[in-house]
Amino acid sequence: MTIIISEWERSKLKVYKYIISSPRLKSEHKFVFISDLHEKEFGKDNEELIKKIDELNPDFILIGGDLIRSHKVHENRKYKDRDSVKVSIKLLEKLEKKYKIYFSYGNHEQRLFQKAGFDDCKDTVKYDKYIQDISKDRAEELKSALLKVCVLDNSSVSFEDFDITGISLPMRYYTPLFLRKGEELTESQITGMAGTPDGDKFHIVMIHTPMHYKNVIEYGADLVLSGHYHGGTVYIPYLGALMTPQYQFFVKESAGEHKYKNGTLIANRGLGTHSVNIRINNRPEISLITLKPGE
């Protein structure tokens, strides 16, 4: 029965609506935020996903990374080539014809670029020639598709009353954390990657993992947009995630809206899955976010 419920949930998109107000905003803005597709298809060529987005009629779309699937390379284990980018590229091609898209990298995009030996990826890891050769074509296809959207790779785009920043974390921030604490992300490190925020404007920051959202708000973000946790795989009311991809348990900030000081985190539940292909009480999420002037 659990497997049947999970299979049903994994294919049933849900729109989650959020309203954020700020005196820094001069007018209303409405946008869609999606994350963690992992090559999942909702109907042929994701026609169901695109239809849902069209019905929402957003001003623009933010994508928080991990559209693709790129698997880890384990020492002492034969490498199986299961990486995939084609579904994600098709989706980008269809959406960019209708909407302005702002894209921030997740760990799966960064891993693929590492495996391909790209010099511009973060924390370049030298994989053997076999892995580089089989990864290069897909990495180049993805790079080519991303040329048609605005990639925010430790960079920002500015509008009249708000800015959008995308932070690309080094891969060491995605290591498993079973029964241990992860590396701290300091305010000075965030400033080094993202620059100094404009205090007169509303500031949106996309950072793939929500683990460091409090530090990002203290840095100056009004709204932090993350994914990565997939809603915790199984979401337990009042407790949060059963387990995150980094083997953390009962993390409340794995899904939905969370306030901290003067800022807000929206943790998107993701669209797809990988490795652990289960969703319970945790439907795939399209975030519709409305920004309004006010207190």
Side-chain angles (χ1 to χ4, degrees), residues 10-263:
R10 287 174 61 201
S11 298
K12 293 298 179 182
L13 287 164
K14 183 173 180 180
V15 176
Y16 294 78
K17 297 181 179 181
Y18 307 91
I19 298 174
I20 307 293
S21 299
S22 171
R24 292 194 181 102
L25 293 163
K26 297 179 181 179
S27 59
E28 184 171 308
H29 311 280
K30 181 176 71 171
F31 64 93
V32 157
F33 173 54
I34 59 175
S35 188
D36 297 270
L37 180 71
H38 290 299
E39 292 286 280
K40 169 73 173 173
E41 283 190 281
F42 297 90
K44 181 176 172 56
D45 294 334
N46 267 309
E47 59 186 10
E48 292 177 23
L49 173 59
I50 294 168
K51 183 181 178 182
K52 284 274 191 186
I53 292 173
D54 288 344
E55 289 170 353
L56 297 173
N57 191 30
D59 300 330
F60 53 88
I61 297 173
L62 300 188
I63 300 178
D66 277 12
L67 282 187
I68 68 163
R69 268 200 325 265
S70 182
H71 293 269
K72 293 179 181 178
V73 178
H74 298 277
E75 291 186 26
N76 306 316
R77 191 187 303 178
K78 185 177 180 180
Y79 179 67
K80 293 182 180 179
D81 180 25
R82 297 175 292 155
D83 292 358
S84 179
V85 301
K86 291 192 180 300
V87 170
S88 302
I89 289 173
K90 279 186 181 180
L91 179 63
L92 284 172
E93 288 173 346
K94 289 178 179 292
L95 289 176
E96 64 87 13
K97 291 175 182 177
K98 301 179 180 183
Y99 306 102
K100 185 66 178 178
I101 296 174
Y102 302 95
F103 183 95
S104 181
Y105 289 131
N107 54 305
H108 279 246
E109 287 87 16
Q110 290 178 259
R111 185 183 296 125
L112 178 64
F113 297 153
Q114 282 187 353
K115 290 197 290 191
F118 283 12
D119 291 332
D120 62 344
C121 67
K122 305 293 177 286
D123 286 356
T124 299
V125 176
K126 292 184 178 180
Y127 291 96
D128 63 40
K129 189 174 185 302
Y130 167 72
I131 293 175
Q132 289 191 28
D133 286 346
I134 62 175
S135 301
K136 190 172 182 180
D137 285 349
R138 273 167 292 200
E140 288 178 343
E141 285 179 42
L142 180 61
K143 279 281 190 180
S144 178
L146 288 172
L147 290 174
K148 299 177 182 179
V149 307
C150 180
V151 176
L152 299 176
D153 181 15
N154 290 335
S155 59
S156 302
V157 61
S158 187
F159 299 89
E160 181 186 4
D161 56 348
F162 68 97
D163 292 336
I164 307 171
T165 296
I167 293 178
S168 302
L169 286 173
M171 289 294 284
R172 66 182 184 274
Y173 285 96
Y174 296 106
T175 56
L177 298 175
F178 183 68
L179 299 181
R180 68 184 183 89
K181 189 177 179 181
E183 182 176 341
E184 191 71 17
L185 183 67
T186 67
E187 188 175 327
S188 62
Q189 287 173 310
I190 298 169
T191 302
M193 289 185 282
T196 303
D198 184 342
D200 294 328
K201 292 183 178 181
F202 187 86
H203 194 191
I204 302 168
V205 175
M206 287 191 287
I207 182 168
H208 187 61
T209 173
M211 188 184 307
H212 308 285
Y213 82 94
K214 292 181 179 179
N215 306 68
V216 179
I217 288 172
E218 288 175 352
Y219 148 80
D222 297 288
L223 175 60
V224 180
L225 301 177
S226 298
H228 188 54
Y229 285 175
H230 303 171
T233 306
V234 176
Y235 189 81
I236 304 171
Y238 307 108
L239 294 177
L242 177 63
M243 182 180 74
T244 76
Q246 291 172 261
Y247 303 107
Q248 303 153 282
F249 301 94
F250 305 116
V251 178
K252 289 185 178 180
E253 294 90 347
S254 62
E257 182 177 345
H258 303 271
K259 300 289 186 181
Y260 176 70
K261 294 187 176 179
N262 294 321

